[in-house]
Amino acid sequence: MKHWLLVLFLSILLLPCFKASATQSSILILATDTCDYEYITAVSNAYGFKPSTAGLENFTEALRSLEWSHVILVDPNYGSSKAELAGAVAKATVDYAVSGGRVVTTFNGFMMLYPVLQQETPLRIIVYDSPLKPGVPSSYNVSKYKALLLFGEGVEEHGGIYYLHVGKGLIIVVPLNIAWAYCDTHDPYYLELLLKSLTAPPWEPGGSQVKYSIALPVIAVLASAVAVSQLSLPRTRRPQGLVVLPPARLKLEADEALAHPARREIMRALEARGAVTMSELLRLLNMPKATLSWHLYVLESRGIISSFKWRKSLFYFASGPTGVESLASRLSREDPYFCIAAKSLLEDPDPVRVSEALNLPTESITRLAKLLEKEREAVLEHCG
């Protein structure tokens, strides 16, 4: 009898452990690129999760199992060729939530779900640029710098995270792209956001639609104020406040930026090849374009590399005189007008007059004039 009591006592003590293990192993995550998998690995290592992962191609099939405690859309990234597949995944995910499932999604994931969600419940969203957007190079996929304001029937906000009730289930929305933010900074804050979403209590509908909660910079509220004022909503449906959670923590020192293996690989390619275009880097590194553009942005924003657009081609090179020399060396070989334009600017510093005289794009000549101001000797080294 005593033995049975001991077994029962130990079972009660160990039950939470078994339950936690089952919960962790019953999480299904949609991942579509290397950054997603890096994020998932970091979360798994930090919190002991053992999730199942699936891509767009097999996510709908995996979703048919009813064993999942949570379904997570990390930062789904897909091109136009997979738009139809993404639509099918969105439909299956919303159906899963309607039937009683719990879905956690980030900005990208929500935008994928939004067209389907509109058929289930009336929602209004504001997509706004984060404060970082002014520094984003034109080549970068700026959707990674978007954040979201969400309000409507059945929407609750708690601590900067939205809770949307659909059918019998719940969709939990982190209104920015946390996987990309983590890939840039390795800041555990972005891991904690996912953990916070997974451990949230089952909020019951019926509270205020959107409460005042300025989670991060006020500048994002101001940037959104005009958009809010233009919404054609009945007065009773107008939001009572704004939830702001832009990726304002995206700060990384130069030496930390080079800690990422993909960025070290990019630097090795630039050191070996000199100035190269995006398409050349894609062939050399065999890296998804969205992933490559993100890492190029990180390196350029920290001053490690520079970019220069000449005519229709955008070149990347290591910052400093050596990198500029590699750019000038290549362009002087491939386009004689590059050196002609450089010499013309020495005689007449007006980019507009020089561009008209040579029939070249004014933007290219203006960029060349700025390059000459900073690295005159490096440019003229290869132009005689």
Side-chain angles (χ1 to χ4, degrees):
M1 185 66 177
K2 292 181 179 179
H3 294 296
W4 281 106
L5 289 174
L6 180 61
V7 171
L8 179 61
F9 178 70
L10 290 175
S11 298
I12 293 172
L13 287 178
L14 294 174
L15 183 59
C17 299
F18 291 127
K19 185 177 180 182
S21 177
T23 300
Q24 293 169 9
S25 62
S26 61
I27 295 173
L28 175 64
I29 299 182
L30 170 65
T32 57
D33 57 32
T34 54
C35 188
D36 289 353
Y37 285 102
E38 179 183 338
Y39 182 81
I40 293 167
T41 300
V43 170
S44 300
N45 293 339
Y47 300 115
F49 288 171
K50 297 179 182 178
S52 297
T53 58
L56 283 172
E57 292 77 6
N58 58 344
F59 189 74
T60 301
E61 182 66 27
L63 200 59
R64 291 175 182 171
S65 170
L66 299 178
E67 66 186 31
W68 311 117
S69 64
H70 289 78
V71 168
I72 304 173
L73 314 182
V74 185
D75 284 345
N77 180 45
Y78 55 90
S80 57
S81 62
K82 292 189 176 181
E84 185 175 348
L85 178 58
V89 168
K91 178 66 167 61
T93 304
V94 172
D95 288 346
Y96 168 82
V98 169
S99 65
R102 265 194 169 203
V103 175
V104 176
T105 182
T106 61
F107 173 86
N108 272 0
F110 180 83
M111 297 309 292
M112 186 178 77
L113 299 180
Y114 184 59
V116 181
L117 282 172
Q118 283 292 73
Q119 301 171 22
E120 296 290 336
T121 181
L123 294 172
R124 294 292 184 272
I125 63 172
I126 298 172
V127 175
Y128 64 92
D129 299 328
S130 83
L132 293 178
K133 187 176 182 293
V136 177
S138 58
S139 61
Y140 181 65
N141 181 351
V142 294
S143 71
K144 301 300 183 295
Y145 279 91
K146 300 294 184 181
L148 177 71
L149 301 175
L150 171 64
F151 49 94
E153 200 68 41
V155 175
E156 301 278 346
E157 180 275 325
H158 299 271
I161 295 177
Y162 294 101
Y163 299 85
L164 169 61
H165 297 269
V166 289
K168 299 178 181 179
L170 186 66
I171 296 180
I172 303 168
V173 184
V174 182
L176 59 106
N177 286 318
I178 53 178
W180 283 91
Y182 178 78
C183 284
D184 180 32
T185 64
H186 291 106
D187 188 334
Y189 167 75
Y190 297 106
L191 306 181
E192 294 164 8
L193 277 178
L194 183 60
L195 181 67
K196 180 180 178 182
S197 302
L198 291 172
T199 56
W203 300 107
E204 294 297 332
S208 61
Q209 287 183 8
V210 181
K211 303 185 301 182
Y212 276 104
S213 175
I214 302 178
L216 285 179
V218 175
I219 186 172
V221 179
L222 299 176
S224 306
V226 175
V228 174
S229 66
Q230 294 175 346
L231 286 171
S232 56
L233 295 174
R235 289 186 181 276
T236 56
R237 296 287 300 284
R238 198 171 287 277
Q240 300 302 308
L242 302 179
V243 180
V244 179
L245 194 61
R249 294 169 63 105
L250 293 182
K251 296 179 181 179
L252 200 64
E253 299 301 324
D255 57 340
E256 294 176 306
L258 289 173
H260 196 289
R263 295 194 270 273
R264 291 199 299 270
E265 194 176 355
I266 291 171
M267 292 307 300
R268 284 193 292 268
L270 294 182
E271 290 166 2
R273 303 289 292 264
V276 293
T277 64
M278 168 73 82
S279 58
E280 290 168 343
L281 281 173
L282 286 171
R283 289 195 298 270
L284 283 170
L285 304 178
N286 192 28
M287 193 180 297
K289 186 174 182 180
T291 303
L292 176 60
S293 62
W294 170 260
H295 290 306
L296 287 171
Y297 159 70
V298 173
L299 291 170
E300 186 170 4
S301 66
R302 275 67 180 180
I304 300 171
I305 67 172
S306 300
S307 63
F308 181 81
K309 188 173 183 180
W310 177 253
R311 300 207 186 200
K312 295 182 179 181
S313 298
L314 180 65
F315 297 89
Y316 291 94
F317 51 94
S319 295
T322 303
V324 175
E325 284 183 18
S326 70
L327 173 72
S329 174
R330 175 170 181 171
L331 288 177
S332 65
R333 296 193 308 269
E334 297 180 358
D335 187 350
Y337 277 97
F338 175 78
C339 285
I340 293 174
K343 293 177 180 178
S344 298
L345 283 169
L346 296 180
E347 299 175 0
D348 183 357
D350 188 336
V352 176
R353 287 196 295 266
V354 172
S355 65
E356 290 175 350
L358 299 178
N359 194 27
L360 291 173
T362 303
E363 291 182 356
S364 293
I365 301 301
T366 301
R367 292 190 187 96
L368 179 56
K370 292 180 179 179
L371 191 65
L372 284 168
E373 289 178 7
K374 295 180 180 179
E375 300 287 355
R376 176 172 175 172
E377 292 182 4
V379 173
L380 297 179
E381 176 73 20
H382 298 276
C383 287

